[in-house]
Amino acid sequence: EPEVTQTPSHQVTQMGQEVILRCVPISNHLYFYWYRQILGQKVEFLVSFYNNEISEKSEIFDDQFSVERPDGSNFTLKIRSTKLEDSAMYFCASITTGQGPNFGAGTRLSVL
Amino acid sequence: KNEVEQSPQNLTAQEGEFITINCSYSVGISALHWLQQHPGGGIVSLFMLSSGKKKHGRLIATINIQEKHSSLHITASHPRDSAVYICAVEKTSYDKVIFGPGTSLSVIP
């Protein structure tokens, strides 16, 4: 069964460094999302992406964040200058007609 | 105010018990999702509902659109059902999913 894949599974970085989280959505899906979950808290929406552009973003998704679909298969989330409070689990999801979202297994980001 | 609420927050059950987790929401929706999150962190979609009732194995999900309420039932619970169960809603099709706080279920042998 097709699935959303995310890499890496765990990323450790120093505060101020740039990180890129990668996702490969399911191939025929058209809508893509990034969510994050800070430890012990609920999952929060970051950004949605459709037709090669951002369709909605949350207040969390400030200028330090960006998304790209560079090659028609990968969907990336970049954090330009990480802060301690960016430490969280980041989930990618994709969706197609009539089905619930398919989530990746997540990338655990630890900012030291 | 949270748009999606769940109860209980935590639930401990003996193996074999019938379990109910409740979800209420305060916005108009196009669909409601029940999701499962295991300790490793991955999220799995269990059900997508826009009306009525769905059943998959020992899991049953119901929704009452007028009352803005949904329930997830687990029959003959098993320790492997131990996980966080999350209710989440879409306001419109293909919209972002708004997550509830989750219900942490522990099933004891």
Side-chain angles (χ1 to χ4, degrees), chain A residues 11-105:
Chain A
Q11 173 89 50
V12 181
T13 190
Q14 294 290 325
M15 191 169 59
Q17 294 296 304
E18 174 183 288
V19 294
I20 297 176
L21 310 183
R22 301 180 193 280
C23 169
V24 179
I26 294 173
S27 61
N28 63 341
H29 287 192
L30 299 176
Y31 298 82
F32 315 113
Y33 309 82
W34 282 101
Y35 296 87
R36 80 169 186 192
Q37 185 178 32
I38 293 170
L39 187 64
Q41 297 185 21
K42 67 179 182 180
V43 179
E44 304 171 286
F45 167 74
L46 290 177
V47 65
S48 56
F49 193 86
Y50 170 71
N51 202 24
N52 285 320
E53 59 183 29
I54 290 174
S55 46
E56 186 179 357
K57 58 184 180 179
S58 71
E59 291 176 354
I60 303 166
F61 195 89
D62 62 21
D63 292 344
Q64 293 300 311
F65 291 86
S66 62
V67 289
E68 255 192 340
R69 195 143 192 259
D71 56 12
S73 62
N74 290 284
F75 179 48
T76 61
L77 174 70
K78 184 193 292 187
I79 309 175
R80 262 179 271 284
S81 177
T82 50
K83 309 186 202 65
L84 295 175
E85 54 266 36
D86 294 327
S87 294
M89 192 79 156
Y90 288 80
F91 293 101
C92 173
S94 68
I95 199 166
T96 190
T97 310
Q99 294 182 7
N102 291 87
F103 290 91

Side-chain angles (χ1 to χ4, degrees), chain B residues 8 11-22 53-55 57-62 71-78 81 105-108:
Chain B
L11 181 56
T12 300
Q14 291 289 327
E15 183 173 356
E17 281 186 13
F18 180 85
I19 287 161
T20 296
I21 299 170
N22 294 300
K53 177 178 172 177
K54 286 190 177 179
K55 184 175 190 293
R58 295 179 295 105
L59 302 179
I60 303 165
T62 63
S71 294
L72 176 70
H73 306 286
I74 305 175
T75 61
S77 59
H78 190 276
D81 296 327
L105 171 66
S106 180
V107 181
I108 299 169

Side-chain angles (χ1 to χ4, degrees), chain A residues 33 35 37 56 91 97 101, chain B residues 37 41 45 48 94-97:
Chain A
Y33 309 82
Y35 296 87
Q37 185 178 32
E56 186 179 357
F91 293 101
T97 310
Chain B
Q37 185 173 33
S45 289
M48 176 178 173
Y94 310 115
D95 194 7
K96 64 183 182 287
V97 173

Side-chain angles (χ1 to χ4, degrees), chain B residues 15-88:
Chain B
E15 183 173 356
E17 281 186 13
F18 180 85
I19 287 161
T20 296
I21 299 170
N22 294 300
C23 173
S24 59
Y25 53 92
S26 57
V27 294
I29 66 169
S30 64
L32 181 142
H33 302 273
W34 281 102
L35 310 162
Q36 182 190 56
Q37 185 173 33
H38 276 285
I43 298 171
V44 174
S45 289
L46 299 174
F47 294 104
M48 176 178 173
L49 292 161
S50 52
S51 65
K53 177 178 172 177
K54 286 190 177 179
K55 184 175 190 293
H56 186 255
R58 295 179 295 105
L59 302 179
I60 303 165
T62 63
I63 188 168
N64 184 319
I65 296 291
Q66 286 72 33
E67 294 186 5
K68 293 187 162 64
H69 181 270
S70 175
S71 294
L72 176 70
H73 306 286
I74 305 175
T75 61
S77 59
H78 190 276
R80 65 174 174 268
D81 296 327
S82 298
V84 175
Y85 291 84
I86 303 171
C87 173

